[in-house]
Amino acid sequence: ALEIAPDDAEASFHHHGYDESVRDDFVAAVIAANSASPDDLTVWARLYAEHGAYEAAITCYQAILKDDPMHFPSLSALAEISAIARRYDEAVGLYEGISSEFPNNYKALLGRARVLGWAKRYDESLEVYDELIHLNPADTIPRMEKARTAFWGKMYDEGMQAYNALLEPSADSLLATALAPLSETPNSALAAEIAALKEAADDGSLYQGYERFRQNYTGYEETVTAEQR
């Protein structure tokens, strides 16, 4: 099958690669043919994962990591697929390994928190969610998932605390309120800047854009003064 379409992994896959009766031999042939090309082998891993053949996908990613143990895309994908395949301990170990090499990596921390919850290791899951909340208090995803996980573990008080924290005023919402009086400015450039910041409040980036706004504000004031003359 590899000889039929050597440059088209998807065509080869659909011709013969998904045949369960010869899958192990076929995957071995794929790895041998693509051992020098992690990118090509990644294509095969994704094809198997997309079709639910998780063990074959895991084998492909493991082959990549054998030559490059710190290949981040493969580590991350392998952790995700291991979790989907309910190999929770392996997934947690992979996420921990990623975090040791890439401290405070959002994707690794969030993945570990989720897998620990799925594995019913609720206390450990909540600890990781707390790490994420500490790293970015404005991010609502860890807070929502922490609350849900707490309820899974029948820790109702902690779950309610996490949900209630989502209702507390954030730096973004407080800043939006502070900017509201300026919305009536006669200067169109300043009004557009404020409108953009207020829209950003929905995705949590308002506060990040405030410093740029503050630095530009003096210039806007000078423009307003000139327009009034």
Side-chain angles (χ1 to χ4, degrees):
L2 288 172
E3 295 176 357
I4 293 172
D7 297 321
D8 190 340
E10 189 164 0
S12 295
F13 175 86
H14 287 293
H15 178 76
H16 199 56
Y18 196 56
D19 186 343
E20 293 187 22
S21 65
V22 296
R23 181 178 295 163
D24 290 345
D25 291 338
F26 190 82
V27 171
V30 166
I31 292 172
N34 296 277
S35 59
S37 178
D39 290 341
D40 290 342
L41 195 50
T42 295
V43 172
W44 282 96
R46 289 174 178 168
L47 283 168
Y48 277 115
E50 288 169 2
H51 288 79
Y54 302 123
E55 296 301 323
I58 288 171
T59 299
C60 289
Y61 281 122
Q62 288 175 336
I64 296 173
L65 294 169
K66 183 177 180 180
D67 293 328
D68 184 2
M70 288 298 106
H71 189 259
F72 181 84
S74 295
L75 280 171
S76 181
L78 180 57
E80 291 177 9
I81 294 171
S82 296
I84 293 171
R86 298 190 177 186
R87 295 165 62 163
Y88 297 135
D89 289 343
E90 292 179 29
V92 170
L94 286 163
Y95 280 126
E96 289 176 343
I98 294 172
S99 293
S100 67
E101 293 294 329
F102 307 95
N104 298 332
N105 180 271
Y106 180 87
K107 188 173 184 179
L109 287 171
L110 187 61
R112 180 153 56 103
R114 288 171 173 171
V115 175
L116 286 168
W118 298 339
K120 300 183 179 181
R121 294 162 62 178
Y122 302 119
D123 289 333
E124 296 172 76
S125 177
L126 297 184
E127 288 178 5
V128 182
Y129 279 123
D130 285 337
E131 287 185 51
L132 284 161
I133 293 168
H134 177 75
L135 288 171
N136 185 4
D139 187 356
T140 58
I141 292 175
R143 293 183 184 276
M144 288 189 290
E145 294 192 9
K146 176 186 176 182
R148 180 183 63 196
T149 303
F151 278 106
W152 285 350
K154 299 183 179 180
M155 292 177 274
Y156 303 117
D157 289 342
E158 192 157 357
M160 287 305 302
Q161 288 175 5
Y163 275 131
N164 289 334
L166 290 167
L167 303 177
E168 295 176 359
S170 65
D172 284 345
S173 61
L174 292 173
L175 183 55
T177 301
L179 290 174
L182 297 176
S183 299
E184 304 302 321
T185 175
N187 182 273
S188 58
L190 177 56
E193 183 87 3
I194 294 172
L197 284 170
K198 289 171 70 177
E199 289 180 5
D202 293 333
D203 63 20
S205 61
L206 173 60
Y207 190 76
Q208 297 173 17
Y210 177 65
E211 182 60 23
R212 174 173 56 82
F213 169 81
R214 187 188 64 77
Q215 291 173 358
N216 291 339
Y217 185 67
T218 301
Y220 288 131
E221 285 185 316
E222 293 172 355
T223 304
V224 170
T225 301
E227 288 177 347
Q228 292 174 342
R229 290 177 182 174

